[in-house]
Amino acid sequence: MHKLFSSAPVHNPTATTTAQTEVKTTTCYMCACRCGIRVHLRDGEVRYIDGNPEHPLNKGVICAKGSSGIMKQYSPARLTQPLLRKAGAARGEAQFEPISWDKAFEILTARLAKIRATDPKKFALFTGRDQMQALTGLFARQFGTPNYAAHGGFCSVNMAAGMIYTIGGSFWEFGGPDLERAKLFVMIGTAEDHHSNPMKMALGAFKRAGGRFISINPIRTGYSAIADEWIPIKPGTDGALFMALLHELLKSGLIDRPFLQRFTNAPQLVVLDEGEREGLFAFDPDNGPPGDGRNPHNKLAWDLTSNSVVRAYPEGVQEGRALALEGRYTLPDGTRVAPAFQLLRERVETTTPEWASEITGIPAERIRELARELGETALQQAFELPIPWTDAWGKRHETTQGRPVAFHAMRGLAAHSNGFQTVRALAVLMSVLGTIDAPGGFRHKAPYPRHIVPNYRAFNDPSMVKPNTPLNAAPLGFPASPEELAVCDDGTPLRIDHAFSWEHPLSAHGLMHNVITNAVRGDPYEIDTLLIFMANMAWNSTMNTMEVRAKLNAKGEDGEYKIPFLVVCDAFQSEMVAFADLVLPDTTYLERHDVMSMLDRPISEYEGPVDSVRVPVVKPTGQCKPFQEVLIELASRLKFPAFTLEDGTRKFKDYPDFVVNYQAQPGIGFLMGWRGKDGTQHLRGDPNPNQWEMYAKNNCVFQYHMPQDQQYMRNWNQPYLDFAKEKGWRQKNDPVQLAIYSDTLQSFRLAAQGKTKGRQPPEALRDRIATYFDPLPFWYPPLENAAIDTEEFPLAAITQRPMAMYHSWDSQNAWLRQIHSHNYLHVNSATAQGAGIEDGGWAWVTSSWGRVRCMVRYSDAVEPGTVWTWNAIGKASGAWHLAPGADESRKGFLLNHLITEELPFGEGHISNSDPVTGQAGWYDVRVNLRPAPADDGPETFPQVDAMPIVPGVLGGARKVIAYFAKRTP
């Protein structure tokens, strides 16, 4: 028996144990990368985790997080049974009594049934970084509530929406850099967690092959540390850099004109005359209604060969045409027009390197050199692959044109209130170089590219919110015009988070960060029950953390909570658990079935679609139950149409049965591998009762390699477009012309200007819409700058996710805590010395919204106008089963205390988010520094009362040590 403080070894490392070990494969969930892993078990318990060399994503590579999954499985912070807040106990006190699952389902079923039978929108379901949004979204739709969203609104919806509305795809799961064939790689605003192991592998091969790597980031950490050149930039100014690069490329002619003429809307003619068509594309009235975001192809271009107007599609791409990219023209009916590219030229005339240098801090000459390097590499080092392909207009191309300039960008661009237009500027920059889905450039991953605008309209009809009635559309989607907004007749938001309203029209992922504030205020209405899954809204997933914690406890004049019932589903004793009325203990990723589906967030590679699964490798701990199973059970009890048969009995036995048998359309289900009754069909086919077993036997992953002639230029590759429609990935098989100019954005601007007859925004929002819904990309300062004194708060403050932790998921991981048990504020040495703060000393960091006390570390790997720290290391005392005196709470701190979830707006307030998408402006906050006197205390500020241990948690360090000790050979 091992003694706790004994010096004797816990186990004999020389003992042979191979014969006793069983190996199972599954998919990692220690971050969002979703690598293949092998789990080594002995006596039914996890002993070791390594990478699966037969997995197409990571090919055996594993990181510190992935190999530490064993410590997540046996974390002392694990919840093991359902809990109900004790009568008379206040939220936040973590006073619970254990209950059975039968009782938990009884409580939830009765409450939800009453809401659904009266006013379904009073139920809100918001989920964190889950990977089953196709299921959670379906649950909300079947319930009949529009109040559903996932984490994207406070993560990177600007990246997704900005690029999807421009090129039909995006970075992250949807596409990425082709480093295998690139010669120049530019990474902007990307921390260590995107795309983790595959990115490390690709970067290693790229550098060995002689590729040049430039990192543009306020901070030189992670990937940037191995860059050939680091270009420091001020946070929130990347859009100005892109506009200056466009200025230089267009000025020097280093652009891919044939690509722009054939594959983008650059030559399409924009109406210049004032009126209801101003700024929209001209159209041929004999060819049907005008092109718009849903049906974009009835547009016109000017043919220089015949000096006349032609239909942009299809005549404009026929042989012998030479479409104008510049100039101004007059149509036969007298309408004045100009090619979209001409308007882009005019837009960037003033965005010179000198202009951008003042904003970004990058010398003007370096901006010129970068533009020249980009253009010359893309055009003068171009190559062709001997891969023939046929475009959407029937032209056969004998080779595929390579453009060896690749970009990668993520949250550093997205998490600003100017992020949508910044990302648009990057996408346009990539487009003028001809890099979209070209070898060596940006490559799509199936099921992308989507249509521009994707044919997924979010629910927007208030009259359809009816008792016991599913919605007629999914809660989330991509609006193409003001008519598709989720607003009531008076223009007020239909949703509790104000998503898809005039405040944030293109909020494709919702605004999770405003749910609690809006619900407490009753804006636009009160709700009854809020169900939160895996989102730490009482700590690191919330701006203005202390105020939000107070709002979770807010009561009305009747003495009742303003959010009457709060349900939290989590696997661990997080800060959010303390505020729950009902706690549902989730399983870990090693205990459940999961699906990384083509209906949701697959792990596709460039060569073809890939989906994957998780299968249980150990039994659930205690009474833990997968949240997926909870939803299937509730949906069956509440008799949702999609989950019940005609006689009212349940349609699906459990979640695995649902995954196999649910079909979004005939032959299309959650999994695309081994379909058909005998498992011989792929991509599309009837349900296969043995599908889970087939995945388990094949490393829990299915990969389909598309023919080479479908692997590039997929926006315009007719065989691919036909194939994608046939397999259910796309609703249309027509080409996806890149949106250099966005008529979708212009349609909102026209409404704001009162020039159209349809829906109109409230008067207070007209200028906001008209300003930010510009059809061409532009740069503007983050919105917070206008609400504060930037001279009083001269420093930008940002966070990064550490490589060894993902959000707060690993706060309870014994191994990873040894790498990051607390965090510092990293400050340029000159900046810190100028503020009188010593290296390792304590400082007060103050914004207009709050202040923290923390320790400072000097770093010359951060530009002087920026301070930064690791995200989510600091913890509330006692949370995550950490000792009240743990480093995480006494030395660690949370930058969120300095960030506001709302900004002043007119006589009221508005979300601190991008005005286009609702992306949370996490990285907009500005601060000042001053030394903290010694008598201020040796711990961070603010502090909260220690959270007590809740009933049923797995246990402390003794149990972890005992786990190893009892297996000493």
Side-chain angles (χ1 to χ4, degrees), residues 12 26 38 55 111 123 161 197 369 504 529 656 775 787 792 807 825 912 944:
N12 180 359
T26 188
R38 299 184 301 193
H55 196 278
R111 194 170 195 107
F123 169 63
N197 289 334
E369 292 172 359
H504 310 283
T529 297
E792 181 182 357
H807 298 293
L825 187 73
N912 180 18
V944 299

Side-chain angles (χ1 to χ4, degrees), residues 10-68:
V10 175
H11 69 288
N12 180 359
T14 64
T16 300
T17 58
T18 304
Q20 304 170 14
T21 301
E22 179 185 11
V23 179
K24 295 183 179 181
T25 61
T26 188
T27 305
C28 189
Y29 198 14
M30 294 296 286
C31 77
C33 196
R34 300 164 295 174
C35 297
I37 55 173
R38 299 184 301 193
V39 182
H40 301 249
L41 302 108
R42 193 187 317 148
D43 299 328
E45 297 197 72
V46 181
R47 301 298 290 164
Y48 180 69
I49 298 174
D50 63 354
N52 184 353
E54 298 181 18
H55 196 278
L57 187 70
N58 59 311
K59 300 178 175 63
V61 172
I62 196 167
C63 67
K65 295 190 297 294
S67 60
S68 299

